[in-house]
PDB file of all heavy atoms in Angstrom:
ATOM      1  N   GLN A 271      -8.225  -2.984   4.102  1.00  0.00           N
ATOM      2  CA  GLN A 271      -8.042  -2.752   2.667  1.00  0.00           C
ATOM      3  C   GLN A 271      -9.392  -2.652   1.953  1.00  0.00           C
ATOM      4  O   GLN A 271      -9.601  -1.780   1.108  1.00  0.00           O
ATOM      5  CB  GLN A 271      -7.219  -3.888   2.041  1.00  0.00           C
ATOM      6  CG  GLN A 271      -5.808  -3.985   2.533  1.00  0.00           C
ATOM      7  CD  GLN A 271      -4.878  -3.007   1.855  1.00  0.00           C
ATOM      8  OE1 GLN A 271      -5.041  -2.705   0.677  1.00  0.00           O
ATOM      9  NE2 GLN A 271      -3.915  -2.503   2.581  1.00  0.00           N
ATOM     10  N   GLU A 281     -16.193   7.347  -3.776  1.00  0.00           N
ATOM     11  CA  GLU A 281     -15.986   8.794  -3.858  1.00  0.00           C
ATOM     12  C   GLU A 281     -15.252   9.239  -5.111  1.00  0.00           C
ATOM     13  O   GLU A 281     -15.456  10.364  -5.569  1.00  0.00           O
ATOM     14  CB  GLU A 281     -15.229   9.299  -2.636  1.00  0.00           C
ATOM     15  CG  GLU A 281     -16.091   9.372  -1.402  1.00  0.00           C
ATOM     16  CD  GLU A 281     -15.417  10.115  -0.262  1.00  0.00           C
ATOM     17  OE1 GLU A 281     -14.549  10.980  -0.529  1.00  0.00           O
ATOM     18  OE2 GLU A 281     -15.762   9.829   0.888  1.00  0.00           O
ATOM     19  N   SER A 285      -8.840   3.028  -7.018  1.00  0.00           N
ATOM     20  CA  SER A 285      -8.472   2.008  -6.040  1.00  0.00           C
ATOM     21  C   SER A 285      -7.486   2.598  -5.031  1.00  0.00           C
ATOM     22  O   SER A 285      -6.921   3.677  -5.246  1.00  0.00           O
ATOM     23  CB  SER A 285      -7.823   0.816  -6.734  1.00  0.00           C
ATOM     24  OG  SER A 285      -6.573   1.205  -7.281  1.00  0.00           O
ATOM     25  N   LEU A 286      -7.258   1.861  -3.962  1.00  0.00           N
ATOM     26  CA  LEU A 286      -6.282   2.276  -2.956  1.00  0.00           C
ATOM     27  C   LEU A 286      -4.882   2.372  -3.571  1.00  0.00           C
ATOM     28  O   LEU A 286      -4.134   3.303  -3.278  1.00  0.00           O
ATOM     29  CB  LEU A 286      -6.294   1.304  -1.771  1.00  0.00           C
ATOM     30  CG  LEU A 286      -5.395   1.636  -0.592  1.00  0.00           C
ATOM     31  CD1 LEU A 286      -5.684   3.020  -0.031  1.00  0.00           C
ATOM     32  CD2 LEU A 286      -5.559   0.569   0.494  1.00  0.00           C
ATOM     33  N   SER A 287      -4.528   1.445  -4.447  1.00  0.00           N
ATOM     34  CA  SER A 287      -3.204   1.513  -5.068  1.00  0.00           C
ATOM     35  C   SER A 287      -3.089   2.729  -5.980  1.00  0.00           C
ATOM     36  O   SER A 287      -2.025   3.369  -6.037  1.00  0.00           O
ATOM     37  CB  SER A 287      -2.860   0.220  -5.808  1.00  0.00           C
ATOM     38  OG  SER A 287      -3.763  -0.025  -6.845  1.00  0.00           O
ATOM     39  N   ALA A 310       8.896   0.627  -6.737  1.00  0.00           N
ATOM     40  CA  ALA A 310       9.495   0.211  -5.463  1.00  0.00           C
ATOM     41  C   ALA A 310       8.803   0.870  -4.273  1.00  0.00           C
ATOM     42  O   ALA A 310       8.583   0.230  -3.249  1.00  0.00           O
ATOM     43  CB  ALA A 310      10.986   0.536  -5.458  1.00  0.00           C
ATOM     44  N   SER A 324      -1.237   3.013 -16.790  1.00  0.00           N
ATOM     45  CA  SER A 324      -1.957   3.103 -18.076  1.00  0.00           C
ATOM     46  C   SER A 324      -3.418   3.464 -17.849  1.00  0.00           C
ATOM     47  O   SER A 324      -3.961   4.322 -18.557  1.00  0.00           O
ATOM     48  CB  SER A 324      -1.856   1.789 -18.849  1.00  0.00           C
ATOM     49  OG  SER A 324      -0.539   1.557 -19.274  1.00  0.00           O
ATOM     50  N   GLY A 330      -6.510  10.702 -17.503  1.00  0.00           N
ATOM     51  CA  GLY A 330      -5.904  12.023 -17.439  1.00  0.00           C
ATOM     52  C   GLY A 330      -5.339  12.380 -16.074  1.00  0.00           C
ATOM     53  O   GLY A 330      -5.067  13.557 -15.814  1.00  0.00           O
ATOM     54  N   CYS A 337      12.619  10.462 -19.249  1.00  0.00           N
ATOM     55  CA  CYS A 337      13.482  11.138 -18.276  1.00  0.00           C
ATOM     56  C   CYS A 337      14.397  12.099 -19.022  1.00  0.00           C
ATOM     57  O   CYS A 337      15.037  11.712 -19.999  1.00  0.00           O
ATOM     58  CB  CYS A 337      14.331  10.134 -17.499  1.00  0.00           C
ATOM     59  SG  CYS A 337      13.392   9.089 -16.404  1.00  0.00           S
ATOM     60  N   ALA A 366     -11.850   7.754   6.428  1.00  0.00           N
ATOM     61  CA  ALA A 366     -11.978   6.296   6.411  1.00  0.00           C
ATOM     62  C   ALA A 366     -10.824   5.632   7.154  1.00  0.00           C
ATOM     63  O   ALA A 366     -11.018   4.631   7.853  1.00  0.00           O
ATOM     64  CB  ALA A 366     -12.054   5.786   4.967  1.00  0.00           C
TER      65      ALA A 366
END
Side-chain angles (χ1 to χ4, degrees):
Q271 295 279 326
E281 285 191 26
S285 67
L286 184 56
S287 62
S324 292
C337 292

